[in-house]
Amino acid sequence: MAEMNIDLGGLAGRPTTSQADPFQSALYGAGPGLIRSGLGAYSEKFLGSSSDFMQSNITQYLSNPQYYFQVNNQYVRNKLKVVLFPFLHRGHWTRITEPVGGRLSYKPPVQDINAPDLYIPLMAFATYIVVAGYALGVLGRFTPVALTIQFTKGLLGWFMQVILIKALLYSLGSGESPLLDIVAYAGYGFAGTSLAMLVRIFWSYSYYFVLPWFCICTGVFLVKTMKRVLQGVSRTYERHPSRNHYFLLFLVAAQFPMLFWLGNIKG
């Protein structure tokens, strides 16, 4: 009995050891450093994919703004001839491409007369505001409020033109055109409108002959441009030619109320 007590006492005096948990050992061995590195790799992958997604969408819909301002004097002169007198344009309407980084990219406006730019639309819009202010002064109705109204009307007209072109492209199966391309195409109408308003100051009756001409020219320019865009990115254009022609004719017809509304100056 004493021997049993001695043995039990011996056992009681020994340190007790529990069996190690393999999962706890693995987590303990991993430590916070490994966990941080794993989270860091995951977050880097997530942020990298998000960045690529955002970059691809921005490139697709907004493109590079600097691209639209690569112009020179020769391009501006030739582009205005194409916009104001599209019937005299004897060249092709196709944009020129070049290989960049293993893929085809469009050449900038300074190297391609058919490339869209934002320099001419912005300058034409500024001219439109200046001519409107001068016309208001000639009529004796110039006020800051009247000029602000004309400025707001110009922006609203530009926005409506963008919506019209975007809706037309979407209806014809091409809704992926860069947004700045559409903004540029929609702004070219201010060139003809500004000239018609300037002519009206010196000879009022000529306005009703000059502006319809520029409405037709702007419509023809847009139709030629939209046909090029549709033929380049949409296969449905060739499947429904009659329907597409009606849409394009509507685009031409829409220029008359749009440009006459923009050219109407009210004090």
Side-chain angles (χ1 to χ4, degrees):
M1 192 71 181
E3 293 178 355
M4 290 180 63
N5 292 334
I6 293 172
D7 293 339
L8 289 173
L11 289 174
R14 296 176 185 176
T16 59
T17 59
S18 60
Q19 186 177 0
D21 188 358
F23 297 101
Q24 183 177 0
S25 301
L27 290 175
Y28 180 80
L34 182 60
I35 296 176
R36 285 197 299 268
S37 62
L39 292 176
Y42 176 77
S43 61
E44 182 179 356
K45 181 179 179 180
F46 176 77
L47 293 176
S49 60
S50 301
S51 177
D52 294 339
F53 175 79
M54 292 295 295
Q55 185 176 1
S56 62
N57 280 271
I58 291 174
T59 302
Q60 179 180 2
Y61 295 105
L62 293 181
S63 190
N64 181 16
Q66 296 179 355
Y67 168 89
Y68 298 90
F69 293 94
Q70 299 181 31
V71 300
N72 56 15
N73 294 333
Q74 182 180 2
Y75 168 82
V76 173
R77 289 194 301 267
N78 294 333
K79 189 70 172 187
L80 286 175
K81 292 178 183 178
V82 175
V83 173
L84 300 177
F85 306 99
F87 303 102
L88 303 179
H89 182 55
R90 301 303 179 186
H92 59 82
W93 292 83
T94 306
R95 295 177 65 177
I96 303 175
T97 58
E98 60 180 352
V100 176
R103 62 179 183 177
L104 292 177
S105 299
Y106 291 117
K107 287 190 174 182
V110 69
Q111 301 178 9
D112 184 10
I113 189 63
N114 294 318
D117 73 281
L118 287 174
Y119 176 81
I120 292 178
L122 289 175
M123 292 299 102
F125 180 76
T127 304
Y128 167 79
I129 300 301
V130 172
V131 173
Y134 182 76
L136 288 171
V138 171
L139 296 174
R141 294 180 294 181
F142 178 83
T143 60
V145 175
L147 189 61
T148 303
I149 292 175
Q150 202 68 29
F151 178 82
T152 306
K153 179 192 289 189
L155 288 180
L156 180 60
W158 199 343
F159 176 76
M160 292 171 60
Q161 191 85 302
V162 170
I163 296 299
L164 175 63
I165 296 175
K166 184 67 175 179
L168 184 140
L169 291 176
Y170 184 81
S171 301
L172 297 179
S174 175
E176 299 181 355
S177 298
L179 178 60
L180 293 183
D181 281 15
I182 300 177
V183 172
Y185 296 139
Y188 286 124
F190 286 106
T193 306
S194 300
L195 288 177
M197 292 169 59
L198 186 62
V199 170
R200 186 180 188 178
I201 295 175
F202 302 100
W203 188 19
S204 60
Y205 293 103
S206 64
Y207 173 81
Y208 299 99
F209 297 97
V210 175
L211 188 57
W213 165 259
F214 286 134
C215 290
I216 296 175
C217 291
T218 302
V220 171
F221 169 78
L222 290 177
V223 166
K224 293 286 187 180
T225 302
M226 294 303 105
K227 288 179 66 176
R228 179 196 68 205
V229 173
L230 292 171
Q231 291 173 354
V233 299
S234 176
R235 295 182 179 179
T236 59
Y237 178 80
E238 299 178 355
R239 299 177 184 175
H240 309 284
S242 59
R243 185 196 67 174
N244 301 333
H245 291 162
Y246 285 123
F247 275 110
L248 294 176
L249 286 176
F250 174 76
L251 180 62
V252 176
Q255 302 309 306
F256 285 86
M258 179 71 69
L259 298 189
F260 267 97
W261 176 67
L262 289 174
N264 187 22
I265 301 175
K266 292 184 178 180

